[in-house]
Amino acid sequence: MRPFPRPLLPMSLLLTALAGIGAAQAATTDYAIDPVHTRVAFQISHAGFSNPIGSFSGSHGSLRFDELDWSTAQIDVVIPLATLDLGDADWQKKVLDPTFFNAKKFPEAHFVSRRVEKTGNATANITGELTLHGVTRPVVLAVTMNALKRHPLTLRKTAGFSATATISRKDFAMDAWRGVVGDSVRLIIEVEATRSGHDTDAQEHADADQK
């Protein structure tokens, strides 16, 4: 007598199981923005003669990132404006006073991502909101991931990104000296973010073994 064939696993249960496997393999990881190795620079026309570069250091914040699903990424970064470096103390003082940044009243810039769209194997557009000089406007960052691996010095998993964007200073109510200072501002951003400390050393070594 032939044994009765075993019933096939219902398709809905099979799909659920496969989805569970995918979810287990894809993990969102928390990273802390490294203020030492993160820099936000800007470039703007000086009366058409040159395009000087200024930069801010000490940016801090957080990154949530799943390397298998960039669309879920979230970034929240604060930029302390008093760290401005233009190479000249008098020039920096003027740019930080109420003529432009008004850093005493608005000491920080703040960027929060709202949408991430992957554009290539290591590139994406990040749409978010930039709050600067008391004004919040949408900004799109063109981002390239340089590396996502264990850092050779800290031995912790680290994400490295480069990004660019263009904003209008008049959009942020900073339109003084229009005959001397250009309106279009090019942003040049370099970011390193380190896996947050609550992750275990065992997980760090496991990630290293997979690379």
Side-chain angles (χ1 to χ4, degrees), residues 51-63:
N51 296 281
I53 298 174
S55 67
F56 300 98
S57 57
S59 297
H60 55 90
S62 62
L63 166 68

Side-chain angles (χ1 to χ4, degrees), residues 116-134:
V116 179
E117 299 172 297
K118 199 170 184 182
T119 56
N121 290 335
T123 59
N125 288 334
I126 299 180
T127 301
E129 295 177 349
L130 175 64
T131 300
L132 175 66
H133 197 241

Side-chain angles (χ1 to χ4, degrees), residues 17 19 23 26 34 39 53 65 79 95 102 184:
D34 179 354
R39 199 85 168 182
I53 298 174
F65 185 66
I79 305 160
V95 173
N102 199 0
S184 180

Side-chain angles (χ1 to χ4, degrees), residues 4-83:
F4 288 103
R6 293 182 179 178
L8 296 175
L9 184 66
M11 183 58 69
S12 59
L13 292 179
L14 178 60
L15 292 175
T16 300
L18 291 174
I21 293 173
Q25 293 175 339
T28 299
T29 303
D30 290 331
Y31 297 83
I33 302 298
D34 179 354
V36 176
H37 297 103
T38 296
R39 199 85 168 182
V40 177
F42 63 91
Q43 191 171 24
I44 191 168
S45 172
H46 179 236
F49 294 107
S50 63
N51 296 281
I53 298 174
S55 67
F56 300 98
S57 57
S59 297
H60 55 90
S62 62
L63 166 68
R64 302 201 75 199
F65 185 66
D66 177 354
E67 58 189 288
L68 300 182
D69 185 2
W70 287 31
S71 67
T72 64
Q74 299 174 15
I75 186 166
D76 188 316
V77 182
V78 172
I79 305 160
L81 300 183
T83 64

Side-chain angles (χ1 to χ4, degrees), residues 137 166-174 183-185:
R137 296 287 188 189
T166 300
I167 63 174
S168 163
R169 67 186 184 97
K170 69 182 179 183
D171 284 349
F172 294 90
M174 292 191 293
D183 178 64
S184 180
V185 183

